[in-house]
Amino acid sequence: MYKNFVFDVYGTLVDIHTNEYDIETWQKLANTIAFYDVNYTAEELKETYFMSCDWQIRQGLKRFKCPEVDVVEVSKHIFENKGKKATKTLATHLAQEFRAFSTERLRVYPDVIETLKQLKRARKKLYIVSNAQRCYTKHELEKLGLIKYFDGIVYSSDYGCAKPDAKLFDFACEKFKLNKAETIYIGNDPKTDVDGAKSAKIDCLWIKTNLTDYDAKPKFPAKYIVENGDFKEITKLLLKK
């Protein structure tokens, strides 16, 4: 019987749509940072942002197979590139501003909260391991009323490592003292979630949602599959185990 239920966030618990490529989004951010005498055109800012991300990924490859960026550090670099300095607080605020500008949809999937309640009533431990930025994902989980259900959260931005790298799952198991044989991971992505959990020797339930890439196939089979994003099936399947 599983004692620990570990969830992905985006595409699993939360339905989201962001647009980081819309030039209007970059213009809004450029207008914001201009108040700090940091002047970019929208195109220049967009290019600088993604170049900074690419640099972090290249540096991260020295340690991990699947490195993660830290958008707070990206914000700092945007200032430094113009000879200015941003405190961590300011850089965090600007990363959050960009997230707000680029987010077009953010909502909890149907039956997610009821499923989490049922798992808690069954005295299960609930965790999150997600490719996510702490600086805004934590606030989004709070805003959506989800964070209170979880006993612990691992954000990839804190570790510089992202799924499907097994190390991110291992970090969580070590941090929360999870027995992998008593743990199941629930996610929507065939590569980062199904193959990632398998690489870490953790069972996986693959829930297919509107954000699942149906053309991609996992390299390894999932222990369980839930079609059409039906969260009610999770309790039916796993509370019996």
Side-chain angles (χ1 to χ4, degrees):
M1 179 179 289
Y2 297 115
K3 295 181 179 179
N4 311 305
F5 288 65
V6 186
F7 291 85
D8 171 50
V9 175
Y10 302 111
T12 300
L13 299 171
V14 175
D15 182 15
I16 188 171
H17 183 262
T18 61
N19 189 349
E20 291 87 3
Y21 298 94
D22 186 345
I23 200 63
E24 291 184 9
T25 297
W26 293 101
Q27 187 60 60
K28 289 177 182 178
L29 186 61
N31 292 344
T32 299
I33 64 177
F35 284 105
Y36 301 93
D37 198 26
V38 177
N39 298 301
Y40 284 90
T41 66
E43 287 287 357
E44 182 188 11
L45 180 57
K46 177 181 176 182
E47 181 179 357
T48 302
Y49 181 96
F50 286 113
M51 285 179 62
S52 181
C53 290
D54 289 343
W55 182 86
Q56 284 193 41
I57 291 294
R58 291 196 301 273
Q59 294 301 305
L61 284 169
K62 298 174 184 178
R63 298 178 59 206
F64 304 113
K65 292 180 180 178
C66 304
E68 176 66 287
V69 303
D70 182 341
V71 294
V72 173
E73 292 302 315
V74 172
S75 292
K76 287 182 180 179
H77 176 255
I78 285 170
F79 269 60
E80 291 167 359
N81 192 51
K82 293 292 186 177
K84 304 289 184 178
K85 285 189 177 181
T87 64
K88 184 175 181 180
T89 299
L90 175 57
T92 299
H93 171 69
L94 292 173
Q96 292 168 338
E97 284 282 288
F98 179 67
R99 179 67 162 190
F101 294 150
S102 62
T103 300
E104 298 177 352
R105 183 178 73 246
L106 183 73
R107 60 193 180 196
V108 181
Y109 281 113
D111 300 310
V112 164
I113 289 179
E114 181 55 35
T115 296
L116 298 178
K117 287 179 178 178
Q118 288 188 48
L119 293 173
K120 294 299 283 187
R121 285 196 290 266
R123 300 185 181 278
K124 305 300 181 181
K125 291 289 187 178
L126 306 185
Y127 301 93
I128 285 173
V129 174
S130 189
N131 289 353
Q133 299 290 321
R134 173 187 284 273
C135 70
Y136 47 70
T137 299
K138 181 176 183 290
H139 296 285
E140 290 172 352
L141 290 171
E142 290 172 345
K143 175 183 177 181
L144 295 170
L146 293 173
I147 203 165
K148 62 186 178 182
Y149 296 104
F150 292 93
D151 299 283
I153 301 175
V154 164
Y155 304 95
S156 58
S157 65
D158 288 351
Y159 295 87
C161 175
K163 301 176 300 179
D165 198 320
K167 288 185 178 180
L168 191 66
F169 296 90
D170 290 340
F171 288 144
C173 290
E174 291 167 9
K175 181 176 182 177
F176 304 126
K177 297 179 173 56
L178 306 183
N179 181 339
K180 290 184 178 182
E182 299 174 339
T183 301
I184 187 162
Y185 190 79
I186 297 100
N188 76 294
D189 191 278
K191 299 297 183 182
T192 59
D193 296 330
V194 180
D195 289 343
K198 181 68 175 181
S199 69
K201 298 181 172 56
I202 297 172
D203 285 348
C204 182
L205 183 150
W206 181 17
I207 182 166
K208 298 182 182 181
T209 70
N210 64 313
L211 296 182
T212 297
D213 182 353
Y214 283 81
D215 293 327
K217 305 298 180 186
K219 185 177 179 180
F220 303 103
K223 183 79 171 181
Y224 307 98
I225 298 176
V226 170
E227 303 284 352
N228 303 319
D230 188 353
F231 243 78
K232 290 179 288 188
E233 288 298 313
I234 291 178
T235 51
K236 291 179 183 177
L237 276 172
L238 300 183
L239 286 184
K240 299 175 184 178
K241 306 298 177 183

